[in-house]
PDB file of all heavy atoms in Angstrom:
ATOM      1  N   ASN G  19      19.246  -6.818 -14.559  1.00  0.00           N
ATOM      2  CA  ASN G  19      18.983  -5.918 -15.657  1.00  0.00           C
ATOM      3  C   ASN G  19      17.890  -6.433 -16.572  1.00  0.00           C
ATOM      4  O   ASN G  19      17.350  -5.729 -17.372  1.00  0.00           O
ATOM      5  CB  ASN G  19      20.266  -5.711 -16.540  1.00  0.00           C
ATOM      6  CG  ASN G  19      21.293  -4.994 -15.709  1.00  0.00           C
ATOM      7  OD1 ASN G  19      20.999  -4.132 -14.887  1.00  0.00           O
ATOM      8  ND2 ASN G  19      22.522  -5.355 -15.936  1.00  0.00           N
ATOM      9  N   SER G  20      17.594  -7.684 -16.466  1.00  0.00           N
ATOM     10  CA  SER G  20      16.557  -8.321 -17.244  1.00  0.00           C
ATOM     11  C   SER G  20      15.503  -9.027 -16.387  1.00  0.00           C
ATOM     12  O   SER G  20      15.906  -9.559 -15.318  1.00  0.00           O
ATOM     13  CB  SER G  20      17.172  -9.376 -18.238  1.00  0.00           C
ATOM     14  OG  SER G  20      16.100 -10.187 -18.806  1.00  0.00           O
ATOM     15  N   LEU G  21      14.242  -8.989 -16.763  1.00  0.00           N
ATOM     16  CA  LEU G  21      13.234  -9.574 -15.927  1.00  0.00           C
ATOM     17  C   LEU G  21      12.901 -10.992 -16.363  1.00  0.00           C
ATOM     18  O   LEU G  21      12.011 -11.621 -15.828  1.00  0.00           O
ATOM     19  CB  LEU G  21      11.984  -8.726 -16.047  1.00  0.00           C
ATOM     20  CG  LEU G  21      12.072  -7.328 -15.434  1.00  0.00           C
ATOM     21  CD1 LEU G  21      10.824  -6.471 -15.764  1.00  0.00           C
ATOM     22  CD2 LEU G  21      12.269  -7.406 -13.894  1.00  0.00           C
ATOM     23  N   CYS G  22      13.649 -11.466 -17.292  1.00  0.00           N
ATOM     24  CA  CYS G  22      13.249 -12.861 -17.885  1.00  0.00           C
ATOM     25  C   CYS G  22      13.482 -13.935 -16.865  1.00  0.00           C
ATOM     26  O   CYS G  22      12.935 -15.010 -16.977  1.00  0.00           O
ATOM     27  CB  CYS G  22      14.054 -13.087 -19.124  1.00  0.00           C
ATOM     28  SG  CYS G  22      15.791 -13.193 -18.913  1.00  0.00           S
ATOM     29  N   ASN G  23      14.302 -13.727 -15.845  1.00  0.00           N
ATOM     30  CA  ASN G  23      14.595 -14.805 -14.904  1.00  0.00           C
ATOM     31  C   ASN G  23      13.704 -14.732 -13.678  1.00  0.00           C
ATOM     32  O   ASN G  23      13.887 -15.559 -12.768  1.00  0.00           O
ATOM     33  CB  ASN G  23      16.071 -14.674 -14.394  1.00  0.00           C
ATOM     34  CG  ASN G  23      16.963 -14.966 -15.589  1.00  0.00           C
ATOM     35  OD1 ASN G  23      16.717 -15.810 -16.441  1.00  0.00           O
ATOM     36  ND2 ASN G  23      18.144 -14.244 -15.640  1.00  0.00           N
ATOM     37  N   LEU G  24      12.775 -13.827 -13.589  1.00  0.00           N
ATOM     38  CA  LEU G  24      12.054 -13.660 -12.411  1.00  0.00           C
ATOM     39  C   LEU G  24      11.202 -14.890 -12.018  1.00  0.00           C
ATOM     40  O   LEU G  24      11.003 -15.193 -10.847  1.00  0.00           O
ATOM     41  CB  LEU G  24      11.050 -12.440 -12.485  1.00  0.00           C
ATOM     42  CG  LEU G  24      11.713 -11.069 -12.363  1.00  0.00           C
ATOM     43  CD1 LEU G  24      10.716  -9.963 -12.690  1.00  0.00           C
ATOM     44  CD2 LEU G  24      12.344 -10.826 -11.052  1.00  0.00           C
ATOM     45  N   HIS G  25      10.682 -15.525 -13.039  1.00  0.00           N
ATOM     46  CA  HIS G  25       9.789 -16.645 -12.762  1.00  0.00           C
ATOM     47  C   HIS G  25      10.487 -17.743 -11.963  1.00  0.00           C
ATOM     48  O   HIS G  25       9.877 -18.395 -11.021  1.00  0.00           O
ATOM     49  CB  HIS G  25       9.230 -17.254 -14.094  1.00  0.00           C
ATOM     50  CG  HIS G  25       8.331 -18.415 -13.900  1.00  0.00           C
ATOM     51  ND1 HIS G  25       7.069 -18.274 -13.453  1.00  0.00           N
ATOM     52  CD2 HIS G  25       8.513 -19.700 -13.970  1.00  0.00           C
ATOM     53  CE1 HIS G  25       6.453 -19.387 -13.369  1.00  0.00           C
ATOM     54  NE2 HIS G  25       7.303 -20.337 -13.662  1.00  0.00           N
ATOM     55  N   SER G  26      11.764 -17.992 -12.271  1.00  0.00           N
ATOM     56  CA  SER G  26      12.518 -18.970 -11.504  1.00  0.00           C
ATOM     57  C   SER G  26      13.050 -18.515 -10.207  1.00  0.00           C
ATOM     58  O   SER G  26      13.502 -19.305  -9.399  1.00  0.00           O
ATOM     59  CB  SER G  26      13.618 -19.486 -12.459  1.00  0.00           C
ATOM     60  OG  SER G  26      14.490 -18.450 -12.705  1.00  0.00           O
ATOM     61  N   ILE G  27      13.090 -17.218  -9.969  1.00  0.00           N
ATOM     62  CA  ILE G  27      13.627 -16.667  -8.792  1.00  0.00           C
ATOM     63  C   ILE G  27      12.725 -16.687  -7.621  1.00  0.00           C
ATOM     64  O   ILE G  27      13.025 -17.038  -6.483  1.00  0.00           O
ATOM     65  CB  ILE G  27      14.120 -15.215  -9.081  1.00  0.00           C
ATOM     66  CG1 ILE G  27      15.287 -15.238 -10.027  1.00  0.00           C
ATOM     67  CG2 ILE G  27      14.561 -14.536  -7.791  1.00  0.00           C
ATOM     68  CD1 ILE G  27      15.664 -13.877 -10.520  1.00  0.00           C
ATOM     69  N   ILE G  28      11.403 -16.286  -7.869  1.00  0.00           N
ATOM     70  CA  ILE G  28      10.504 -16.047  -6.764  1.00  0.00           C
ATOM     71  C   ILE G  28       9.472 -17.239  -6.740  1.00  0.00           C
ATOM     72  O   ILE G  28       8.815 -17.390  -7.819  1.00  0.00           O
ATOM     73  CB  ILE G  28       9.729 -14.742  -6.818  1.00  0.00           C
ATOM     74  CG1 ILE G  28      10.787 -13.588  -6.801  1.00  0.00           C
ATOM     75  CG2 ILE G  28       8.764 -14.570  -5.705  1.00  0.00           C
ATOM     76  CD1 ILE G  28      10.154 -12.276  -6.916  1.00  0.00           C
ATOM     77  N   SER G  29       9.270 -17.933  -5.674  1.00  0.00           N
ATOM     78  CA  SER G  29       8.264 -18.901  -5.603  1.00  0.00           C
ATOM     79  C   SER G  29       7.550 -18.778  -4.194  1.00  0.00           C
ATOM     80  O   SER G  29       8.244 -18.523  -3.311  1.00  0.00           O
ATOM     81  CB  SER G  29       8.793 -20.282  -5.809  1.00  0.00           C
ATOM     82  OG  SER G  29       9.706 -20.589  -4.885  1.00  0.00           O
ATOM     83  N   ILE G  30       6.215 -18.921  -4.196  1.00  0.00           N
ATOM     84  CA  ILE G  30       5.563 -18.782  -2.893  1.00  0.00           C
ATOM     85  C   ILE G  30       5.436 -20.080  -2.288  1.00  0.00           C
ATOM     86  O   ILE G  30       5.048 -21.108  -2.851  1.00  0.00           O
ATOM     87  CB  ILE G  30       4.194 -18.118  -3.091  1.00  0.00           C
ATOM     88  CG1 ILE G  30       4.386 -16.674  -3.720  1.00  0.00           C
ATOM     89  CG2 ILE G  30       3.350 -18.073  -1.885  1.00  0.00           C
ATOM     90  CD1 ILE G  30       3.059 -16.078  -4.057  1.00  0.00           C
ATOM     91  N   ARG G  31       5.780 -20.200  -1.025  1.00  0.00           N
ATOM     92  CA  ARG G  31       5.818 -21.455  -0.248  1.00  0.00           C
ATOM     93  C   ARG G  31       4.422 -22.030  -0.151  1.00  0.00           C
ATOM     94  O   ARG G  31       3.445 -21.354  -0.086  1.00  0.00           O
ATOM     95  CB  ARG G  31       6.370 -21.225   1.110  1.00  0.00           C
ATOM     96  CG  ARG G  31       6.944 -22.402   1.757  1.00  0.00           C
ATOM     97  CD  ARG G  31       7.844 -22.108   2.792  1.00  0.00           C
ATOM     98  NE  ARG G  31       7.733 -20.731   3.269  1.00  0.00           N
ATOM     99  CZ  ARG G  31       8.359 -20.372   4.353  1.00  0.00           C
ATOM    100  NH1 ARG G  31       9.117 -21.193   5.021  1.00  0.00           N
ATOM    101  NH2 ARG G  31       8.225 -19.095   4.801  1.00  0.00           N
ATOM    102  N   GLN G  32       4.363 -23.353  -0.140  1.00  0.00           N
ATOM    103  CA  GLN G  32       3.157 -24.060  -0.032  1.00  0.00           C
ATOM    104  C   GLN G  32       2.552 -23.896   1.439  1.00  0.00           C
ATOM    105  O   GLN G  32       3.317 -23.884   2.421  1.00  0.00           O
ATOM    106  CB  GLN G  32       3.279 -25.520  -0.231  1.00  0.00           C
ATOM    107  CG  GLN G  32       3.664 -25.773  -1.751  1.00  0.00           C
ATOM    108  CD  GLN G  32       2.612 -25.403  -2.713  1.00  0.00           C
ATOM    109  OE1 GLN G  32       1.411 -25.718  -2.522  1.00  0.00           O
ATOM    110  NE2 GLN G  32       2.900 -24.636  -3.691  1.00  0.00           N
TER     111      GLN G  32
END
Side-chain angles (χ1 to χ4, degrees):
N19 293 324
S20 170
L21 294 172
C22 62
N23 294 324
L24 285 174
H25 181 75
S26 61
I27 293 169
I28 302 178
S29 61
I30 296 175
R31 201 157 21 167
Q32 294 296 311

